[in-house]
Amino acid sequence: MKILVIGSGGREHALVWKIAQSKLVDKIFCAPGNGGISQQAECVDIKAEDIAGLLDFARKEKIDLTVVGPEVPLVGGIVDEFSNRKLKIFGPKKKGAQLEASKVFAKEFMAKYNIPTADFKIFDDPEQAKKYINKKGAPLVIKADGLAQGKGVIVARTVEQAIGAVEQIMQDKIFGSAGEKLVVEDCLEGQEASILILTDGQNVLPLASSQDHKRVFDNDLGPNTGGMGAYSPAPVVDNKLFEEINSSIIQPTISGLQNQSISFQGVLYAGVMITDKGPKVLEFNVRFGDPETQAILPRLNSDLVETMLATIEGKLEKIKLSWKNQACICVVCASGGYPDNYEKGKEIFGLEEAAKIKDCFVFHAGTLRRGSTSLTTSRSGQAKDKDKYITFGGRVIGVTGLGNTIRQAVDKTYQVVAKINFEGMHYRKDIAHRALN
Ligand code: AMP
Ligand code: GLY
């Protein structure tokens, strides 16, 4: 089979790496890919948002299966476009992607189907929102309705912060039209967990549990990022809790989608807060998490392509996933300045040394292979010794390691991190701290 993976982050590198192990696969393309991905796939210079360009490429190359990493093309209707032309593609259609594309849609959906989530109110008028905030008092969480590159959620500890967030979103329009409406919701306390499941619209096949680390600094300090590291499994999600999440969140979501005639195939990702009143949904995503995917896929023994095909074809009941009984952690190495303005173009050292360590994987996110002015010139094939990599994004690489325990996985992964450096590199030193304590 010929596979096309869409996206350019660490999640997509992990997907390409896992797909490359499938016995069904002959050739992998990635659009647009990154420096590391170009070792395993042929990178093509088409942006993830360029649905027409991707469709054209898939038709010309006779791609057998397209796998969508990021949310933007899903929300833009790439699955509808491909399916209309009988091209196989993994992910939900535009209607289902609303669960991630609109916080207002997601909250109203949860309210309608009694799915536990923080109490909330929806506003399209800033003055009404401010009046409500003044009456309610802090802490509160303010969420721009639409996609905002992971920056649309503000956890406000004071009334002033909450009002400032409303002004930025609705009056200064920092997220553009994504801020025409917003959600003001109660602040939940507890541990977070990422629950990813595959669904063909009827059947549910859970992936291993995981936990992300959103804040940039150790001890969960500093601003939110796309995610600074992850580990799997998340011990807090034991069988009993998973059953509760399945019956109170996952199953009602699947039947709610069916009830609204939304056919949903792909990954459903519930970000949950485990409160003392039980698990509650913080957000839904309709794709693999990043960095969670880097910590989940190395634990999977089963063939991912076979599983994705079963998802698309409505045959998930035939698949039973096999997992390694090991823990996996992923530490993200980020560029100086990230998550604000960051530097690019720094040479990355130590990758070859790092690649020698067993059961460790260096997934690339924001990297380029040096010498290539664009990714199209970096053709497939193994990286040669003389290959050099430079930084090209905020999250640069995700160093990932397996171990028999979380402790072992943590120790091994940080040994590999210590071999890698580039100017300005920073990373969290406490990934998996909750599981270790
Ligand atoms: P989201 O993009 O909705 O996942 O929100 C990003 C992060 O904001 C979450 O991972 C939580 O850490 C935090 N968050 C979102 N909603 C709430 C809430 N109701 N209470 C507390 N924290 C929240
Ligand atoms: N790790 C958070 C996300 O993928 O949205």
Side-chain angles (χ1 to χ4, degrees):
M1 289 178 74
K2 277 187 181 179
I3 313 278
L4 169 63
V5 175
I6 296 173
S8 60
R11 164 184 52 208
E12 287 75 21
H13 194 182
L15 284 166
V16 164
W17 169 84
K18 183 68 188 163
I19 288 169
Q21 294 163 26
S22 167
K23 58 185 185 310
L24 301 171
V25 172
D26 303 304
K27 165 106 189 159
I28 310 174
F29 295 94
C30 188
N34 63 39
I37 291 174
S38 70
Q39 296 167 28
Q40 276 135 7
E42 182 170 333
C43 293
V44 285
D45 196 7
I46 308 172
K47 290 198 171 61
E49 301 79 47
D50 179 5
I51 295 176
L54 292 164
L55 186 59
D56 199 38
F57 178 81
R59 291 169 90 175
K60 274 199 195 115
E61 284 291 340
K62 300 199 167 44
I63 298 294
D64 298 297
L65 172 67
T66 299
V67 177
V68 188
E71 61 278 13
V72 173
L74 295 170
V75 171
I78 191 169
V79 176
D80 308 61
E81 295 283 333
F82 273 55
S83 306
N84 287 343
R85 287 166 182 82
K86 304 271 177 281
L87 288 166
K88 277 196 184 144
I89 182 162
F90 178 85
K93 291 187 178 157
K94 195 172 180 167
K95 268 192 177 170
Q98 283 290 100
L99 276 180
E100 177 163 0
S102 166
K103 304 266 189 214
V104 169
F105 177 89
K107 293 298 285 193
E108 288 178 335
F109 181 94
M110 287 187 266
K112 183 164 177 190
Y113 298 105
N114 286 319
I115 296 164
T117 187
D119 285 344
F120 67 99
K121 280 222 171 328
I122 293 165
F123 295 95
D124 57 12
D125 171 40
E127 296 314 320
Q128 294 294 328
K130 288 184 206 172
K131 223 162 109 186
Y132 174 75
I133 290 166
N134 274 316
K135 205 170 101 204
K136 190 94 193 189
L140 284 170
V141 183
I142 316 297
K143 300 184 170 185
D145 177 36
L147 294 182
Q149 295 182 319
K151 294 185 183 145
V153 174
I154 295 107
V155 180
R157 294 282 155 207
T158 64
V159 165
E160 291 69 37
Q161 275 174 359
I163 288 187
V166 171
E167 286 172 349
Q168 284 193 315
I169 293 171
M170 285 194 146
Q171 288 163 323
D172 305 341
K173 301 189 193 324
I174 57 169
F175 304 124
S177 61
E180 279 168 12
K181 288 187 189 171
L182 55 75
V183 176
V184 180
E185 68 178 43
D186 290 357
C187 193
L188 300 174
E189 303 290 341
Q191 259 202 70
E192 286 181 44
S194 302
I195 305 298
L196 281 74
I197 61 107
L198 297 172
T199 180
D200 55 12
Q202 305 283 337
N203 303 288
V204 167
L205 188 64
L207 298 177
S209 63
S210 60
Q211 210 172 60
D212 187 8
H213 300 63
K214 301 238 186 214
R215 303 300 188 103
V216 68
F217 300 127
D218 286 6
N219 303 314
D220 298 316
L221 297 174
N224 266 336
T225 67
M228 293 297 289
Y231 63 98
S232 173
V236 63
V237 186
D238 57 17
N239 286 342
K240 184 165 167 279
L241 181 61
F242 182 79
E243 270 321 308
E244 192 181 343
I245 291 170
N246 190 36
S247 61
S248 69
I249 296 172
I250 303 297
Q251 296 300 337
T253 304
I254 301 299
S255 41
L257 288 165
Q258 288 167 353
N259 192 48
Q260 298 193 196
S261 303
I262 298 175
S263 126
F264 192 107
Q265 282 94 31
V267 175
L268 178 70
Y269 162 158
V272 299
M273 186 76 92
I274 301 156
T275 74
D276 53 15
K277 295 200 182 77
K280 297 191 177 194
V281 178
L282 294 170
E283 63 164 347
F284 281 121
N285 294 317
V286 297
R287 49 164 176 83
F288 285 101
D290 190 350
E292 289 93 329
T293 303
Q294 290 99 294
I296 291 174
L297 291 184
R299 300 187 53 226
L300 180 65
N301 294 319
S302 311
D303 188 315
L304 185 61
V305 174
E306 198 180 16
T307 308
M308 286 176 159
L309 289 172
T311 306
I312 297 173
E313 289 160 5
K315 295 179 182 156
L316 261 188
E317 80 277 6
K318 296 199 173 138
I319 304 280
K320 197 167 173 331
L321 294 179
S322 149
W323 297 93
K324 289 190 174 63
N325 200 12
Q326 285 179 300
C328 188
I329 86 153
C330 169
V331 176
V332 171
C333 302
S335 291
Y338 177 79
D340 295 325
N341 290 337
Y342 53 80
E343 306 163 316
K344 285 186 194 172
K346 308 291 178 193
E347 184 169 349
I348 306 166
F349 299 98
L351 290 171
E352 278 166 50
E353 277 304 299
K356 288 179 191 156
I357 305 205
K358 195 173 166 276
D359 285 341
C360 280
F361 321 96
V362 179
F363 294 125
H364 289 227
T367 75
L368 280 180
R369 266 215 243 185
R370 193 176 208 169
S372 54
T373 47
S374 89
L375 282 166
T376 36
T377 55
S378 31
R379 310 298 288 188
S380 59
Q382 285 301 309
K384 296 174 213 77
D385 287 345
K386 62 176 167 34
D387 276 331
K388 292 213 172 16
Y389 294 86
I390 58 167
T391 66
F392 191 62
R395 291 189 289 177
V396 177
I397 39 187
V399 179
T400 302
L402 284 164
N404 290 336
T405 60
I406 290 184
R407 175 86 262 164
Q408 281 181 17
V410 165
D411 291 345
K412 184 187 279 179
T413 305
Y414 279 106
Q415 277 170 24
V416 180
V417 172
K419 296 186 186 299
I420 294 176
N421 71 82
F422 53 86
E423 198 187 314
M425 170 171 131
H426 65 98
Y427 58 90
R428 279 183 60 160
K429 297 175 185 65
D430 65 347
I431 299 301
H433 65 98
R434 283 196 191 80
L436 292 173
N437 291 334

PDB file of all heavy atoms in Angstrom, residues 21-52:
ATOM      1  N   GLN A  21       6.281   0.158  10.040  1.00  0.00           N
ATOM      2  CA  GLN A  21       6.454  -1.218  10.531  1.00  0.00           C
ATOM      3  C   GLN A  21       5.363  -2.157  10.028  1.00  0.00           C
ATOM      4  O   GLN A  21       5.413  -3.356  10.272  1.00  0.00           O
ATOM      5  CB  GLN A  21       6.443  -1.222  12.057  1.00  0.00           C
ATOM      6  CG  GLN A  21       7.640  -0.494  12.651  1.00  0.00           C
ATOM      7  CD  GLN A  21       7.421  -0.145  14.116  1.00  0.00           C
ATOM      8  OE1 GLN A  21       6.669  -0.804  14.823  1.00  0.00           O
ATOM      9  NE2 GLN A  21       8.081   0.895  14.576  1.00  0.00           N
ATOM     10  N   SER A  22       4.353  -1.604   9.353  1.00  0.00           N
ATOM     11  CA  SER A  22       3.231  -2.441   8.918  1.00  0.00           C
ATOM     12  C   SER A  22       3.618  -3.289   7.720  1.00  0.00           C
ATOM     13  O   SER A  22       4.215  -2.793   6.762  1.00  0.00           O
ATOM     14  CB  SER A  22       2.044  -1.547   8.549  1.00  0.00           C
ATOM     15  OG  SER A  22       1.082  -2.313   7.855  1.00  0.00           O
ATOM     16  N   LYS A  23       3.203  -4.549   7.755  1.00  0.00           N
ATOM     17  CA  LYS A  23       3.511  -5.447   6.631  1.00  0.00           C
ATOM     18  C   LYS A  23       2.707  -5.065   5.398  1.00  0.00           C
ATOM     19  O   LYS A  23       2.997  -5.514   4.291  1.00  0.00           O
ATOM     20  CB  LYS A  23       3.245  -6.904   7.049  1.00  0.00           C
ATOM     21  CG  LYS A  23       1.811  -7.151   7.509  1.00  0.00           C
ATOM     22  CD  LYS A  23       1.634  -8.570   8.019  1.00  0.00           C
ATOM     23  CE  LYS A  23       0.199  -8.913   8.387  1.00  0.00           C
ATOM     24  NZ  LYS A  23      -0.509  -7.980   9.253  1.00  0.00           N
ATOM     25  N   LEU A  24       1.694  -4.234   5.569  1.00  0.00           N
ATOM     26  CA  LEU A  24       0.847  -3.854   4.430  1.00  0.00           C
ATOM     27  C   LEU A  24       1.441  -2.723   3.598  1.00  0.00           C
ATOM     28  O   LEU A  24       0.936  -2.397   2.539  1.00  0.00           O
ATOM     29  CB  LEU A  24      -0.533  -3.399   4.947  1.00  0.00           C
ATOM     30  CG  LEU A  24      -1.332  -4.408   5.764  1.00  0.00           C
ATOM     31  CD1 LEU A  24      -2.550  -3.759   6.390  1.00  0.00           C
ATOM     32  CD2 LEU A  24      -1.750  -5.564   4.865  1.00  0.00           C
ATOM     33  N   VAL A  25       2.503  -2.096   4.122  1.00  0.00           N
ATOM     34  CA  VAL A  25       2.954  -0.827   3.541  1.00  0.00           C
ATOM     35  C   VAL A  25       4.191  -0.979   2.659  1.00  0.00           C
ATOM     36  O   VAL A  25       5.168  -1.601   3.057  1.00  0.00           O
ATOM     37  CB  VAL A  25       3.219   0.191   4.680  1.00  0.00           C
ATOM     38  CG1 VAL A  25       3.868   1.460   4.153  1.00  0.00           C
ATOM     39  CG2 VAL A  25       1.913   0.523   5.389  1.00  0.00           C
ATOM     40  N   ASP A  26       4.114  -0.390   1.462  1.00  0.00           N
ATOM     41  CA  ASP A  26       5.270  -0.375   0.565  1.00  0.00           C
ATOM     42  C   ASP A  26       5.966   0.976   0.555  1.00  0.00           C
ATOM     43  O   ASP A  26       7.168   1.059   0.392  1.00  0.00           O
ATOM     44  CB  ASP A  26       4.823  -0.682  -0.878  1.00  0.00           C
ATOM     45  CG  ASP A  26       4.095  -2.004  -0.953  1.00  0.00           C
ATOM     46  OD1 ASP A  26       4.681  -3.007  -0.531  1.00  0.00           O
ATOM     47  OD2 ASP A  26       2.925  -2.023  -1.381  1.00  0.00           O
ATOM     48  N   LYS A  27       5.162   2.043   0.677  1.00  0.00           N
ATOM     49  CA  LYS A  27       5.754   3.380   0.483  1.00  0.00           C
ATOM     50  C   LYS A  27       4.962   4.393   1.296  1.00  0.00           C
ATOM     51  O   LYS A  27       3.727   4.335   1.344  1.00  0.00           O
ATOM     52  CB  LYS A  27       5.670   3.704  -1.019  1.00  0.00           C
ATOM     53  CG  LYS A  27       5.901   5.130  -1.379  1.00  0.00           C
ATOM     54  CD  LYS A  27       7.262   5.328  -2.021  1.00  0.00           C
ATOM     55  CE  LYS A  27       7.561   6.806  -2.179  1.00  0.00           C
ATOM     56  NZ  LYS A  27       8.929   7.130  -2.320  1.00  0.00           N
ATOM     57  N   ILE A  28       5.680   5.320   1.942  1.00  0.00           N
ATOM     58  CA  ILE A  28       5.011   6.360   2.732  1.00  0.00           C
ATOM     59  C   ILE A  28       5.427   7.738   2.218  1.00  0.00           C
ATOM     60  O   ILE A  28       6.617   8.000   2.011  1.00  0.00           O
ATOM     61  CB  ILE A  28       5.368   6.267   4.233  1.00  0.00           C
ATOM     62  CG1 ILE A  28       5.193   4.837   4.752  1.00  0.00           C
ATOM     63  CG2 ILE A  28       4.523   7.233   5.065  1.00  0.00           C
ATOM     64  CD1 ILE A  28       5.674   4.633   6.186  1.00  0.00           C
ATOM     65  N   PHE A  29       4.419   8.587   2.032  1.00  0.00           N
ATOM     66  CA  PHE A  29       4.665  10.000   1.758  1.00  0.00           C
ATOM     67  C   PHE A  29       4.209  10.785   2.985  1.00  0.00           C
ATOM     68  O   PHE A  29       3.302  10.349   3.707  1.00  0.00           O
ATOM     69  CB  PHE A  29       3.830  10.487   0.566  1.00  0.00           C
ATOM     70  CG  PHE A  29       4.198   9.853  -0.735  1.00  0.00           C
ATOM     71  CD1 PHE A  29       3.524   8.718  -1.189  1.00  0.00           C
ATOM     72  CD2 PHE A  29       5.194  10.400  -1.532  1.00  0.00           C
ATOM     73  CE1 PHE A  29       3.846   8.136  -2.403  1.00  0.00           C
ATOM     74  CE2 PHE A  29       5.529   9.823  -2.753  1.00  0.00           C
ATOM     75  CZ  PHE A  29       4.857   8.693  -3.190  1.00  0.00           C
ATOM     76  N   CYS A  30       4.811  11.958   3.188  1.00  0.00           N
ATOM     77  CA  CYS A  30       4.322  12.827   4.258  1.00  0.00           C
ATOM     78  C   CYS A  30       4.287  14.256   3.746  1.00  0.00           C
ATOM     79  O   CYS A  30       5.247  14.732   3.136  1.00  0.00           O
ATOM     80  CB  CYS A  30       5.218  12.708   5.492  1.00  0.00           C
ATOM     81  SG  CYS A  30       4.540  13.584   6.931  1.00  0.00           S
ATOM     82  N   ALA A  31       3.145  14.929   3.983  1.00  0.00           N
ATOM     83  CA  ALA A  31       2.992  16.310   3.526  1.00  0.00           C
ATOM     84  C   ALA A  31       2.682  17.220   4.708  1.00  0.00           C
ATOM     85  O   ALA A  31       1.674  16.994   5.353  1.00  0.00           O
ATOM     86  CB  ALA A  31       1.849  16.387   2.500  1.00  0.00           C
ATOM     87  N   PRO A  32       3.486  18.218   5.045  1.00  0.00           N
ATOM     88  CA  PRO A  32       4.785  18.463   4.411  1.00  0.00           C
ATOM     89  C   PRO A  32       5.929  17.706   5.083  1.00  0.00           C
ATOM     90  O   PRO A  32       7.016  17.693   4.546  1.00  0.00           O
ATOM     91  CB  PRO A  32       4.959  19.979   4.593  1.00  0.00           C
ATOM     92  CG  PRO A  32       4.256  20.291   5.872  1.00  0.00           C
ATOM     93  CD  PRO A  32       3.105  19.324   5.967  1.00  0.00           C
ATOM     94  N   GLY A  33       5.700  17.093   6.252  1.00  0.00           N
ATOM     95  CA  GLY A  33       6.776  16.360   6.912  1.00  0.00           C
ATOM     96  C   GLY A  33       7.778  17.277   7.588  1.00  0.00           C
ATOM     97  O   GLY A  33       7.549  18.481   7.729  1.00  0.00           O
ATOM     98  N   ASN A  34       8.883  16.685   8.031  1.00  0.00           N
ATOM     99  CA  ASN A  34       9.963  17.463   8.648  1.00  0.00           C
ATOM    100  C   ASN A  34      11.275  16.702   8.445  1.00  0.00           C
ATOM    101  O   ASN A  34      11.293  15.646   7.795  1.00  0.00           O
ATOM    102  CB  ASN A  34       9.655  17.743  10.131  1.00  0.00           C
ATOM    103  CG  ASN A  34       9.575  16.471  10.979  1.00  0.00           C
ATOM    104  OD1 ASN A  34      10.356  15.534  10.798  1.00  0.00           O
ATOM    105  ND2 ASN A  34       8.630  16.434  11.916  1.00  0.00           N
ATOM    106  N   GLY A  35      12.357  17.258   9.002  1.00  0.00           N
ATOM    107  CA  GLY A  35      13.679  16.684   8.770  1.00  0.00           C
ATOM    108  C   GLY A  35      13.765  15.218   9.161  1.00  0.00           C
ATOM    109  O   GLY A  35      14.308  14.391   8.425  1.00  0.00           O
ATOM    110  N   GLY A  36      13.228  14.864  10.312  1.00  0.00           N
ATOM    111  CA  GLY A  36      13.312  13.483  10.796  1.00  0.00           C
ATOM    112  C   GLY A  36      12.430  12.547  10.001  1.00  0.00           C
ATOM    113  O   GLY A  36      12.806  11.415   9.692  1.00  0.00           O
ATOM    114  N   ILE A  37      11.244  13.045   9.660  1.00  0.00           N
ATOM    115  CA  ILE A  37      10.304  12.221   8.891  1.00  0.00           C
ATOM    116  C   ILE A  37      10.911  11.847   7.542  1.00  0.00           C
ATOM    117  O   ILE A  37      10.675  10.756   7.021  1.00  0.00           O
ATOM    118  CB  ILE A  37       8.952  12.966   8.715  1.00  0.00           C
ATOM    119  CG1 ILE A  37       8.230  13.067  10.066  1.00  0.00           C
ATOM    120  CG2 ILE A  37       8.072  12.274   7.683  1.00  0.00           C
ATOM    121  CD1 ILE A  37       6.960  13.893  10.052  1.00  0.00           C
ATOM    122  N   SER A  38      11.758  12.730   7.008  1.00  0.00           N
ATOM    123  CA  SER A  38      12.328  12.468   5.682  1.00  0.00           C
ATOM    124  C   SER A  38      13.268  11.259   5.688  1.00  0.00           C
ATOM    125  O   SER A  38      13.702  10.804   4.639  1.00  0.00           O
ATOM    126  CB  SER A  38      13.040  13.712   5.134  1.00  0.00           C
ATOM    127  OG  SER A  38      14.224  13.967   5.858  1.00  0.00           O
ATOM    128  N   GLN A  39      13.571  10.704   6.879  1.00  0.00           N
ATOM    129  CA  GLN A  39      14.342   9.451   6.926  1.00  0.00           C
ATOM    130  C   GLN A  39      13.478   8.245   6.573  1.00  0.00           C
ATOM    131  O   GLN A  39      13.978   7.216   6.134  1.00  0.00           O
ATOM    132  CB  GLN A  39      14.902   9.223   8.335  1.00  0.00           C
ATOM    133  CG  GLN A  39      15.905  10.259   8.785  1.00  0.00           C
ATOM    134  CD  GLN A  39      16.169  10.135  10.283  1.00  0.00           C
ATOM    135  OE1 GLN A  39      16.046   9.076  10.871  1.00  0.00           O
ATOM    136  NE2 GLN A  39      16.533  11.245  10.893  1.00  0.00           N
ATOM    137  N   GLN A  40      12.176   8.345   6.839  1.00  0.00           N
ATOM    138  CA  GLN A  40      11.299   7.173   6.659  1.00  0.00           C
ATOM    139  C   GLN A  40      10.242   7.352   5.589  1.00  0.00           C
ATOM    140  O   GLN A  40       9.600   6.392   5.186  1.00  0.00           O
ATOM    141  CB  GLN A  40      10.588   6.853   7.983  1.00  0.00           C
ATOM    142  CG  GLN A  40      11.416   6.021   8.915  1.00  0.00           C
ATOM    143  CD  GLN A  40      11.369   6.547  10.337  1.00  0.00           C
ATOM    144  OE1 GLN A  40      10.618   7.458  10.652  1.00  0.00           O
ATOM    145  NE2 GLN A  40      12.196   5.988  11.185  1.00  0.00           N
ATOM    146  N   ALA A  41      10.030   8.598   5.177  1.00  0.00           N
ATOM    147  CA  ALA A  41       8.967   8.862   4.206  1.00  0.00           C
ATOM    148  C   ALA A  41       9.478   9.867   3.187  1.00  0.00           C
ATOM    149  O   ALA A  41      10.421  10.603   3.467  1.00  0.00           O
ATOM    150  CB  ALA A  41       7.748   9.442   4.919  1.00  0.00           C
ATOM    151  N   GLU A  42       8.841   9.888   2.051  1.00  0.00           N
ATOM    152  CA  GLU A  42       9.181  10.931   1.079  1.00  0.00           C
ATOM    153  C   GLU A  42       8.334  12.151   1.403  1.00  0.00           C
ATOM    154  O   GLU A  42       7.098  12.097   1.375  1.00  0.00           O
ATOM    155  CB  GLU A  42       8.902  10.454  -0.347  1.00  0.00           C
ATOM    156  CG  GLU A  42       9.297  11.522  -1.349  1.00  0.00           C
ATOM    157  CD  GLU A  42       9.281  11.015  -2.782  1.00  0.00           C
ATOM    158  OE1 GLU A  42       9.471   9.795  -2.994  1.00  0.00           O
ATOM    159  OE2 GLU A  42       9.076  11.848  -3.675  1.00  0.00           O
ATOM    160  N   CYS A  43       9.011  13.240   1.773  1.00  0.00           N
ATOM    161  CA  CYS A  43       8.282  14.452   2.133  1.00  0.00           C
ATOM    162  C   CYS A  43       7.907  15.229   0.881  1.00  0.00           C
ATOM    163  O   CYS A  43       8.725  15.383  -0.026  1.00  0.00           O
ATOM    164  CB  CYS A  43       9.129  15.315   3.064  1.00  0.00           C
ATOM    165  SG  CYS A  43       9.379  14.553   4.668  1.00  0.00           S
ATOM    166  N   VAL A  44       6.664  15.675   0.846  1.00  0.00           N
ATOM    167  CA  VAL A  44       6.200  16.468  -0.298  1.00  0.00           C
ATOM    168  C   VAL A  44       5.753  17.829   0.211  1.00  0.00           C
ATOM    169  O   VAL A  44       5.105  17.931   1.246  1.00  0.00           O
ATOM    170  CB  VAL A  44       5.063  15.763  -1.081  1.00  0.00           C
ATOM    171  CG1 VAL A  44       5.614  14.644  -1.915  1.00  0.00           C
ATOM    172  CG2 VAL A  44       3.979  15.243  -0.165  1.00  0.00           C
ATOM    173  N   ASP A  45       6.110  18.843  -0.562  1.00  0.00           N
ATOM    174  CA  ASP A  45       5.930  20.207  -0.085  1.00  0.00           C
ATOM    175  C   ASP A  45       4.499  20.702  -0.317  1.00  0.00           C
ATOM    176  O   ASP A  45       4.271  21.594  -1.126  1.00  0.00           O
ATOM    177  CB  ASP A  45       6.962  21.100  -0.800  1.00  0.00           C
ATOM    178  CG  ASP A  45       7.116  22.432  -0.092  1.00  0.00           C
ATOM    179  OD1 ASP A  45       6.543  22.590   0.995  1.00  0.00           O
ATOM    180  OD2 ASP A  45       7.797  23.307  -0.653  1.00  0.00           O
ATOM    181  N   ILE A  46       3.556  20.093   0.389  1.00  0.00           N
ATOM    182  CA  ILE A  46       2.164  20.546   0.336  1.00  0.00           C
ATOM    183  C   ILE A  46       1.739  20.791   1.777  1.00  0.00           C
ATOM    184  O   ILE A  46       1.932  19.929   2.635  1.00  0.00           O
ATOM    185  CB  ILE A  46       1.228  19.491  -0.295  1.00  0.00           C
ATOM    186  CG1 ILE A  46       1.772  19.017  -1.642  1.00  0.00           C
ATOM    187  CG2 ILE A  46      -0.190  20.043  -0.444  1.00  0.00           C
ATOM    188  CD1 ILE A  46       0.991  17.833  -2.231  1.00  0.00           C
ATOM    189  N   LYS A  47       1.179  21.946   2.027  1.00  0.00           N
ATOM    190  CA  LYS A  47       0.784  22.269   3.403  1.00  0.00           C
ATOM    191  C   LYS A  47      -0.409  21.424   3.842  1.00  0.00           C
ATOM    192  O   LYS A  47      -1.264  21.058   3.036  1.00  0.00           O
ATOM    193  CB  LYS A  47       0.420  23.752   3.500  1.00  0.00           C
ATOM    194  CG  LYS A  47       1.604  24.664   3.358  1.00  0.00           C
ATOM    195  CD  LYS A  47       1.280  26.052   3.900  1.00  0.00           C
ATOM    196  CE  LYS A  47       2.523  26.915   3.976  1.00  0.00           C
ATOM    197  NZ  LYS A  47       3.151  27.131   2.642  1.00  0.00           N
ATOM    198  N   ALA A  48      -0.490  21.185   5.156  1.00  0.00           N
ATOM    199  CA  ALA A  48      -1.578  20.367   5.708  1.00  0.00           C
ATOM    200  C   ALA A  48      -2.947  20.996   5.455  1.00  0.00           C
ATOM    201  O   ALA A  48      -3.959  20.302   5.417  1.00  0.00           O
ATOM    202  CB  ALA A  48      -1.360  20.165   7.204  1.00  0.00           C
ATOM    203  N   GLU A  49      -2.981  22.309   5.275  1.00  0.00           N
ATOM    204  CA  GLU A  49      -4.268  23.002   5.089  1.00  0.00           C
ATOM    205  C   GLU A  49      -4.688  23.016   3.621  1.00  0.00           C
ATOM    206  O   GLU A  49      -5.816  23.399   3.303  1.00  0.00           O
ATOM    207  CB  GLU A  49      -4.174  24.470   5.546  1.00  0.00           C
ATOM    208  CG  GLU A  49      -3.783  24.669   6.998  1.00  0.00           C
ATOM    209  CD  GLU A  49      -2.282  24.512   7.222  1.00  0.00           C
ATOM    210  OE1 GLU A  49      -1.493  25.082   6.449  1.00  0.00           O
ATOM    211  OE2 GLU A  49      -1.899  23.787   8.171  1.00  0.00           O
ATOM    212  N   ASP A  50      -3.786  22.645   2.731  1.00  0.00           N
ATOM    213  CA  ASP A  50      -4.049  22.760   1.293  1.00  0.00           C
ATOM    214  C   ASP A  50      -4.814  21.515   0.810  1.00  0.00           C
ATOM    215  O   ASP A  50      -4.241  20.604   0.187  1.00  0.00           O
ATOM    216  CB  ASP A  50      -2.710  22.929   0.560  1.00  0.00           C
ATOM    217  CG  ASP A  50      -2.884  23.029  -0.946  1.00  0.00           C
ATOM    218  OD1 ASP A  50      -4.040  23.055  -1.436  1.00  0.00           O
ATOM    219  OD2 ASP A  50      -1.842  23.078  -1.646  1.00  0.00           O
ATOM    220  N   ILE A  51      -6.110  21.501   1.073  1.00  0.00           N
ATOM    221  CA  ILE A  51      -6.905  20.301   0.799  1.00  0.00           C
ATOM    222  C   ILE A  51      -6.916  19.980  -0.696  1.00  0.00           C
ATOM    223  O   ILE A  51      -6.745  18.815  -1.091  1.00  0.00           O
ATOM    224  CB  ILE A  51      -8.337  20.473   1.367  1.00  0.00           C
ATOM    225  CG1 ILE A  51      -8.254  20.560   2.898  1.00  0.00           C
ATOM    226  CG2 ILE A  51      -9.251  19.320   0.933  1.00  0.00           C
ATOM    227  CD1 ILE A  51      -9.575  20.814   3.595  1.00  0.00           C
ATOM    228  N   ALA A  52      -7.044  21.000  -1.531  1.00  0.00           N
ATOM    229  CA  ALA A  52      -7.071  20.761  -2.983  1.00  0.00           C
ATOM    230  C   ALA A  52      -5.740  20.168  -3.449  1.00  0.00           C
ATOM    231  O   ALA A  52      -5.709  19.217  -4.251  1.00  0.00           O
ATOM    232  CB  ALA A  52      -7.375  22.059  -3.722  1.00  0.00           C
TER     233      ALA A  52
END
